[in-house]
Amino acid sequence: MINCIYRDVAVIGAGAAGLFAGAETAAANLSTMIIDREKFTGGILNQCIHNGFGLHCFKKELTGPEFAAEAELLAKEAGAEFRLDTTVKKIIRQQDGTFQLELLSGTYGVTLLGCRAIILAAGCRERNRGNLAIPGNRPAGVWSAGTAQKLLNSDGVLPGKKVVIVGSGDIGLIMARRLSWCGAEVPAVIEILPRPSGLVRNIAQCLEDFNIPLLLSHTVTKIAGKDHVEFLECAPLKEGKADLSKVLRFECDAVLFSVGLVPSVELIESLGAEIDPVTNGAVTDSNGETTIPGIFCAGNVLHVHDLVDFVAEEASETGKAVVKKLSGTAPAPCNSTIAGKNLRYASPHKFACGDEIHFRFRPTICADKAILTAKSGEKIVSSWKLNFVNPAEMIQIAFTPENCTELLFELEEI
Amino acid sequence: MIYDVAIIGSGVTGASAAWHLSHKECKAALIEKECDCGFGVSKANSGIVHGGFHHPVSSLKAKLEVASIKRFPQLQKELHFPFNKCGIIVAAFSEEELETCKKLFEQGVANGVDNLEWCSAEKLYQLEKKLAPGAIGGFLAPDGGTVEPYSYNFALVESAKKNGVDIFFDAPVEKGEYKNGLWHISIAGSSEKICAKSVVNAAGLYADEISRKFNAEEYKITPRKGEEYLLSKTSPARPDHVLFPVPVKHSKGVLVIPTAGGTTMIGPTAEVIDDKSDDATTANNFNRIISQVKQMVNGISPRDVITSFSGSRPVLESEDFYIDLSKKVPAFIHAAGIQSPGLTASPAVGEYIVSLLEKSGFIFPEKTSPRIPIAERFYAASSSMEQLSSLYEKNAQWTTMVCRCENISEAEIAEAVKKGHCTMDGIKFYTRSTMGRCQGGFCAAKIMRILSKESNIPMEKLTKKGRKSYLLAGKLGDLQVKGLSK
């Protein structure tokens, strides 16, 4: 038997973004169903057993699972309904502008969920070895850092005893510390860029405190092993290529990859939502709405954030915008944002004048002091002085644009 | 137990021989050194049903290839493996290539392929929207297509097993001795010998070593490695046909393949190597493949690459298949040098092996009892909501999704384990789980838990592909932590 149900809002993903967005729509008396494929809420937070979460949102320092529990309570108290152990197989766009979601669940069987709006809060997947076409054999013991984190923290098993980490993304850094705490050895973290990819605090707390060497500007030249990983070789970069005269070999029984995250937009990409080639997330406006009317994105599925607190803030904004949109009171954002000098991207892509907008950027430079300017044509509309700018940290500003059709943001070191 | 036939190697060649023998009154054994079937040459190739035009009329491989092509639709009905008869296009981009292309076309006709269709440039672009600009002519082989090679291999073995063939896994053959009209086959790590009246050497890359172990003919198998790269299902480069360039010496060239699983594969390279177990891919070859296929197809982007792999072709000096009775030792059949088009030719290769056994004096009458079929497979990914709903009524595992990229349910993973695919690679090849964009990032831990539960193998003992390919190093708490006393 197929169950057919209807809710105003379907939230896909019960991680931080889904819980905060769903709390807003439910609080506004819109019937809200938050769907997650796992049997519990919280998503990836559940495997992040370290602390450092919640300082902005809950004004206290929490672990990942604690943050998830607080966020679940928030959504529950607002009246959101959870549909866990449930996978969205497909989204169908109806002729009247509403949607039908095909839901599969071991608990609930097959359900068709009709809704007026969808908030996609599906997070990211990890870029992996295959995506990077890293050379070498195909032995056991090669994992993405998040998978290893899940195995260790959720399943209580060890991915390796001597583990080389490729990439200095935050998950890799946190895993270096976690593995050291378990008694495993981490001979090196290898980063292709001339600077670390993760947060400064994680370099200090996860590598320096444990005397784990970070090899910058090094690339993996080989992963070797017949049945199981035996060693990894890397070499420094010279004019963009591996300098094979200086190959370093590390004996190891596992290799973890922490080489970036990619938004999980598959469900809406197949519907034709426009995807930003830089963020790999959807193109959205200041309501968080994608190029498909009625489908919104929040959190890491939109662009990759550094802190869960920022995900939560952005998702709350999106939740509020969905409420306005469904009541017909939302502004129509038709002005364009352009990421100029020293900015990799700017979010949102479109904005409305006269409302306070939260703009978010990813810089491409490191600078102790920098100035961010917003230009409309030749005219500087506003500017912000920033300290300690680096690509590992997102820049966020709140600002009310007036009378402009286009804003060009530029970042300069001063 | 004395077997009539012992087949060494469970790749498509050995599996097809076993499958054909399972139709007859014959007791056969299939002996495999790995923990699952087809884990050698057969798991890592282009998965193509070729068009019958690449090899000269005089060759055995051309004869067996052409005899097999038209059988795939029927085999698919019986064995339920994914097969997409999408057709093959060969396109020429210069006058010189066009000349070679014409010769290829004529060769195909001479080989007995009756429906090759010569195409003008206009016709090519009409047939294939993804073809890059600059093609001046070519031809279409409508019966060619793509199969999922491991599913085909698994299905042959499953069907053979159901119909009386005994399978021995983790059984590396050490030696064969012929005494009193019987081959006595020693297996590494086992004191018991397998006895058989005849032996088929279908050992792929290791056929030369097996031949030596049985004192049969001396020859050398040279591994010729091919690297392949897989593009995401969302890649705009996926063509409607398998696209071949005009071939170069020793290789059919780098092609663009719309795989039966929905991804797009580009490759392979062709590189002679020394180490038969070398499965490495390299940055140089990756760049070369990308630049070559860009000239043939629109929409190729390195960003769409989800994974890469390599496999080696078992090559004999003659470049042809060597399927014949040994002239040196009794009741021993070589099936060696089965490189491309080995997968395509496998139906006729198996049959040819049986005919050689019969030629050497064995009489295997056709079975009169009805054949035990293998069950049709269900895939959550391609099932309708109604079908999934009725599957759920019987088993809730059908709507418990495990692999999100390929939409694989827990029921399919459990089915793989029940059928004996008890490694991560075995489950991957049976179900396609972990073959998508995330490459197991999300589902690997889940699959390991299901595998452990269904097989009763503890998590720490699970392997990627048998032997010592353990996935994990132990349990949390196993290691002494520095600065802490335990």
Side-chain angles (χ1 to χ4, degrees), chain B residues 70-82:
Chain B
K70 282 188 197 286
R71 294 193 193 176
F72 274 87
Q74 179 55 36
L75 281 168
Q76 183 194 25
K77 271 183 207 151
E78 250 174 272
L79 297 171
H80 317 296
F81 54 89

Side-chain angles (χ1 to χ4, degrees), chain A residues 40-300:
Chain A
F40 35 79
T41 63
I44 301 299
L45 283 165
N46 291 297
Q47 67 192 54
C48 302
I49 61 170
H50 50 285
N51 55 359
F53 301 96
L55 288 168
H56 295 253
C57 289
F58 297 111
K59 309 292 175 232
K60 52 185 169 182
E61 195 175 30
L62 304 169
T63 63
E66 285 169 345
F67 186 101
E70 296 266 356
E72 182 189 290
L73 194 64
L74 203 76
K76 206 176 258 171
E77 284 178 349
E81 176 190 1
F82 298 118
R83 181 59 77 107
L84 304 176
D85 186 25
T86 298
T87 299
V88 180
K89 193 181 178 206
K90 200 169 148 192
I91 299 171
I92 299 158
R93 218 175 148 185
Q94 311 280 43
Q95 292 205 325
D96 63 358
T98 64
F99 302 94
Q100 191 180 61
L101 276 62
E102 295 182 348
L103 306 184
L104 298 178
S105 165
T107 310
Y108 306 98
V110 179
T111 307
L112 296 177
L113 165 64
C115 63
R116 291 164 69 196
I118 293 172
I119 302 174
L120 183 68
C124 287
R125 65 180 163 87
E126 294 181 276
R127 190 168 278 129
N128 55 60
R129 180 200 179 168
N131 303 153
L132 299 174
I134 299 271
N137 305 111
R138 297 293 177 271
V142 180
W143 304 100
S144 59
T147 309
Q149 187 180 46
K150 186 174 182 177
L151 286 167
L152 194 53
N153 293 345
S154 305
D155 293 281
V157 289
L158 270 177
K161 291 179 178 166
K162 203 169 182 181
V163 185
V164 175
I165 297 174
V166 180
S168 60
D170 287 311
I171 312 171
L173 300 177
I174 283 161
M175 279 308 288
R177 175 175 65 183
R178 181 76 184 102
L179 284 161
S180 303
W181 274 337
C182 297
E185 201 183 320
V186 181
V189 174
I190 296 157
E191 171 60 56
I192 195 166
L193 295 173
R195 51 180 166 70
S197 303
L199 296 172
V200 176
R201 71 171 194 203
N202 283 335
I203 299 289
Q205 294 171 8
C206 301
L207 298 189
E208 288 165 9
D209 287 0
F210 294 86
N211 297 318
I212 297 170
L214 171 62
L215 303 177
L216 297 171
S217 302
H218 276 64
T219 186
V220 179
T221 50
K222 193 182 208 177
I223 293 174
K226 290 294 174 215
D227 286 335
H228 205 279
V229 178
E230 286 158 27
F231 64 85
L232 173 145
E233 285 180 350
C234 66
L237 288 176
K238 194 176 159 189
E239 286 150 16
K241 286 199 169 160
D243 181 355
L244 295 177
S245 66
K246 291 180 183 159
V247 170
L248 292 170
R249 177 181 286 200
F250 294 99
E251 310 288 326
C252 56
D253 65 353
V255 177
L256 306 190
F257 279 86
S258 176
V259 288
L261 301 169
V262 187
S264 295
V265 291
E266 291 80 1
L267 279 171
I268 61 166
E269 192 179 12
S270 55
L271 285 180
E274 191 182 339
I275 304 298
D276 180 325
V278 177
T279 60
N280 291 306
V283 169
T284 54
D285 63 24
S286 46
N287 295 324
E289 195 167 20
T290 65
T291 54
I292 300 176
I295 299 186
F296 299 77
C297 283
N300 283 340

Side-chain angles (χ1 to χ4, degrees), chain B residues 28-343:
Chain B
L30 186 59
I31 307 170
E32 171 56 57
K33 75 176 165 58
E34 301 294 331
C35 64
D36 207 334
C37 46
F39 267 28
V41 180
S42 296
K43 80 167 193 306
N45 55 66
S46 301
I48 291 177
V49 172
H50 284 284
F53 51 81
H54 272 114
H55 306 286
V57 170
S58 55
S59 63
L60 176 62
K61 57 163 81 167
K63 188 179 125 191
L64 296 174
E65 177 189 4
V66 174
S68 298
I69 296 167
K70 282 188 197 286
R71 294 193 193 176
F72 274 87
Q74 179 55 36
L75 281 168
Q76 183 194 25
K77 271 183 207 151
E78 250 174 272
L79 297 171
H80 317 296
F81 54 89
F83 166 57
N84 179 14
K85 201 184 104 175
C86 57
I88 294 171
I89 284 179
V90 186
F93 288 82
S94 69
E95 287 300 334
E96 196 189 339
E97 283 187 2
L98 196 66
E99 280 310 302
T100 318
C101 202
K102 276 179 188 154
K103 283 185 193 136
L104 217 54
F105 178 83
E106 283 155 16
Q107 185 165 271
V109 174
N111 281 340
V113 186
D114 56 11
N115 57 358
L116 294 181
E117 187 186 337
W118 185 257
C119 302
S120 64
E122 196 190 348
K123 175 79 186 176
L124 283 180
Y125 287 103
Q126 212 175 3
L127 284 171
E128 184 49 68
K129 305 280 180 282
K130 297 292 161 65
L131 194 62
I136 55 171
F139 64 91
L140 169 75
D143 288 333
T146 54
V147 289
E148 219 171 73
Y150 10 84
S151 293
Y152 167 59
N153 202 145
F154 285 167
L156 283 171
V157 173
E158 188 187 340
S159 174
K161 190 178 168 189
K162 278 203 159 161
N163 289 281
V165 175
D166 286 345
I167 323 272
F168 297 84
F169 287 122
D170 289 313
V173 169
E174 253 180 356
K175 206 176 171 203
E177 283 177 295
Y178 197 74
K179 283 185 294 200
N180 309 324
L182 274 186
W183 280 108
H184 297 256
I185 304 166
S186 333
I187 305 295
S190 162
S191 54
E192 281 186 37
K193 292 185 178 178
I194 298 173
C195 293
K197 292 176 191 162
S198 64
V199 168
V200 175
N201 173 12
L205 284 164
Y206 302 90
D208 51 353
E209 292 168 37
I210 292 294
S211 184
R212 211 167 300 138
K213 284 171 179 172
F214 283 76
N215 271 321
E217 279 77 354
E218 276 289 329
Y219 48 84
K220 185 175 178 346
I221 301 280
T222 306
R224 192 188 289 150
K225 191 166 84 170
E227 293 181 22
E228 310 248 26
Y229 292 80
L230 272 166
L231 308 180
S232 157
K233 282 182 174 174
T234 54
S235 164
R238 182 176 164 92
D240 290 331
H241 305 79
V242 177
L243 283 176
F244 273 92
V246 173
V248 290
K249 200 185 173 197
H250 289 328
S251 159
K252 297 184 170 83
V254 172
L255 19 156
V256 184
I257 306 154
T259 68
T263 49
T264 302
M265 183 148 66
I266 55 175
T269 52
E271 192 181 353
V272 173
I273 53 169
D274 301 323
D275 179 0
K276 289 174 177 176
S277 63
D278 177 356
D279 59 357
T281 52
T282 58
N284 278 350
N285 282 331
F286 172 63
N287 296 331
R288 228 184 64 215
I289 289 180
I290 288 280
S291 72
Q292 283 182 13
V293 294
K294 269 185 176 170
Q295 292 168 20
M296 198 159 61
V297 166
N298 299 323
I300 295 282
S301 161
R303 292 173 66 98
D304 288 326
V305 171
I306 52 174
T307 193
S308 58
F309 66 88
S310 80
S312 286
R313 309 161 181 88
V315 179
L316 283 168
E317 206 188 337
S318 69
E319 290 285 337
D320 202 357
F321 294 169
Y322 169 38
I323 309 175
D324 207 351
L325 281 159
S326 170
K327 292 182 178 65
K328 220 176 138 194
V329 291
F332 188 93
I333 292 174
H334 299 280
I338 315 288
Q339 52 157 320
S340 178
L343 177 66

